[in-house]
Amino acid sequence: MADKTQEVSGIDFPFPFPPYSIQKDFMAELYQLLEAGKIGIFESPTGTGKSLSLICGALTWLRDFEQKKRQEEARCLLVSGAGPEGQDLHPATPSSCQAPPTAPRPGGEPDWVTQFVQRKEERDLAERVKEEQIRRKKREERLQQTRHSAQLKRAARLRRQEEEETEALLRLSREMLAEGSGAEQLEPGEEELVLAEYESDEERRAATGVDEDEEDLEEEHVTKIYYCSRTHSQLAQFVQEVRKSPFGKETRLVTLGSRQNLCVNEDVRNLGSMQLINDRCMEMQRSQLESKNRAEADKPKRRRQEGWTACPFHNHEQMQLLRDEILVEAKDMEQLVALGREARACPYYGSRLAIPAAQLVVLPYPMLLHAATRQAAGIRLQGQVVVIDEAHNLIDTITGIHGTEVSGSQLCQAHSQLLQYMERYRKRLKAKNLMYIKQLLYLLEKFVAVLGGNVKQNPSAQSLLQTGTELKTINDFLFQSQVDNLNLFKVQRYCEKSKVSRKLCGFTERYGAVLPAPREQCRLAGLQHFLQNLQPGVTEAPAAPSEEAKAAAMRATSPLMHIEDFLAALTTANQDGRVILSRQGNLSQSSLKFLLLNPAVHFAQVVKECRALVIAGGTMQPVSDFREQLLACAGVEAERVVEFSCGHVIPPDNILPLVLCSGPTDQQLEFTYQKRGLPVMMDETGRILCNLCNVVPGGLVCFFPSYEYQRQVLAHWDKSGLLARLTVRKKIFQEPRRASEVEQVLAAYSRCIKSCGRGGGPVTGALLLSVVGGKMSEGINFSDDLGRCVVMVGMPYPNIRSPELQEKMAYLDQHLPRSPGQGPPGKALLENLCMKAVNQSIGRAIRHQRDFASIMLLDQRYARPPVLAKLPAWIRERVEIKATFGAAFAALRKFHREKVGPS
């Protein structure tokens, strides 16, 4: 497949094949947006080549940007007259690199002073340009050498392995000698659990063990594109698209991930828990640094008998080599891990070293959207381009990442652990450490008390007098808890800088848990829960884990770490968040939950720092949520926001969207919460599906508003005989609740459709009963015969009785302006959440240019203009509203006969 160059609007876009017209429009619009430094909301349906359009459009802009920058650098050097040794070659002349000659100087300085200052500024600029060119040349030479020196690299690896073996033998000899040197005065390894003096924690910044004078760490961040998506599988697909594109061989790309995904030290990786892996990694680095410091000081100190030694993969020379190999060719996460094992270098830190020189950084949502994670990873957004793909749930994602929940058992356990820690090391702790630990103990005690419990008793044995859910503003919660007199900002800062939760985790691991592990699964903070959801192939936990597994799970997550996240959330502005007190019978099951109402407070920093931002997805309608809740609240001017929505590549007659207002017996279809459970409504739904099964070939996917309603309808059909009538034409499959069973059900559904297509019996395919917002409404492709018709039963509005939703609606009503002729913003949120879910579900069917499908929206409320306006444009333009079932059925039968007939 030869790469071709497509000229669009005077810009040459390299593309692997002749692009669709909508792809040309997409790339041209994207290029102009990046050039102007604006914010774009881009919608491109699945099957239209969105990923390639993003890659070729954005990397074409980056190519041209770098070329213009080099030209500007050359002009600056020419104008300044700076030669190789810094001498002047000729007098400077006015240019774009100079300060304007007419600019007044302060104090009425003479012309010769003004000229001298201008010349000095030009020389300084020229020196900076020359330094950057030298760095760029060194990097290019290094990468070129890496590309063409495979044998050299292998020899270097062998040499390093020999050095490691020698060092290991020497270290073993030293340890054996040290064992016989005399008795220890203190318990071995215990001093590492004691908090260092709070003011002197700056030394921890060097915990990576990297020399500060290392030239490569000072490498300037080049202009780059940060591309993020929801899951690692989506990121891997994107990397493969980059590799296949015309930019695949020349683009410096790095994929970022968590330690859990990238660690190649099997001893650490086998710990399983993300928190345990993070803690062990940090401890091993600290051990490595302290060993290095002892060697440098050359002082005879007693040996610390630690449970682990320095990580053999955390070697800076090896990681530099890995960094260069990463930049030479685009690699996804699995390839990165394989390369790290081969090179005996850490992919987690090697990929971070590659960030400054990379042109394209691929990373999951939390690493971009969570400020602390972003900072820890070395991500700098200043002046860079950010692309957020699969962004239809971006608002919910930000809310989830920054939400957190702590249980009563976690609060009690953290208090007990911290109290025992303080009592054991009271005489060794400095005054400030004691002061802050006592403040933390006070906070934990009051948080338990506000739930109605007592920290001195077992939480599982404490029954609460008051039960139910209570929602508070942050200030009201702090006042009710009697902690409003404490400076939570200072307490949070202390926790962050002193690493007290890690010390406590080590203390607990050493001396055992002070409370029995609770029976319920530990609730994770929002970010940690989201990170775990990214892991591919995660299945539900077994129903009855062993006691050892429970203990391991308890050790895996330090309760104080979750509470630190909760304390950080409480520093949010009062109007931007709420605290939900959930009292559930006993203290152990009760919890405190922070709900973020304004995701823009965390998104604003991303918007403020980056040069340009692209929010993209296959289905972005309705976009008003992005404009109002994210961008406007983050301070973005309306004129800076650009919307782009392209049509589909399928012919207009390959899709038939119908709004059905009544059923076969002329029963009006309106599946409100009050009416949908009526037998007449469930019967009418069954009759509609029976008729559809007679004319729709292959697979038919039907979405219900909830699992409970799906169960209720199926039970009613079973009693009335409708279920038996449905099975005459289609074999029925039901979406499972367990994530581990989804693949199995989909595989059986697919096999059934394929076998029916070859058979010729009465059964013509399969009917899959799914749930909106369930496991099959997003990320599953029902292409071709897997989804010839998608049926949406009713409008899946969220639960209006939810306290969280009610508070969010009230917040929007209070803080967002009411548009002329529109309802209150809170009511608009309800409708937008409903239509986002509908759009995701009905978008499962059409997946490529030659695909075809019909869409049935079973509810007369879909015919309302405000509701129709929130459908994707490529569907909305073709919608037909049918008042009677006969007209709809005739159109549907005609559509499928025409599509299937010629074959």
Side-chain angles (χ1 to χ4, degrees), residues 100 174 514 626 752 902:
R174 286 195 296 267
V514 291
F626 297 104
C752 176

Side-chain angles (χ1 to χ4, degrees), residues 274 400 403 521 523-534:
M274 179 172 57
Q521 185 181 4
R523 295 177 175 89
L524 295 180
L527 174 65
Q528 293 168 318
H529 178 71
F530 192 88
L531 283 167
Q532 288 200 344
N533 285 344
L534 289 172

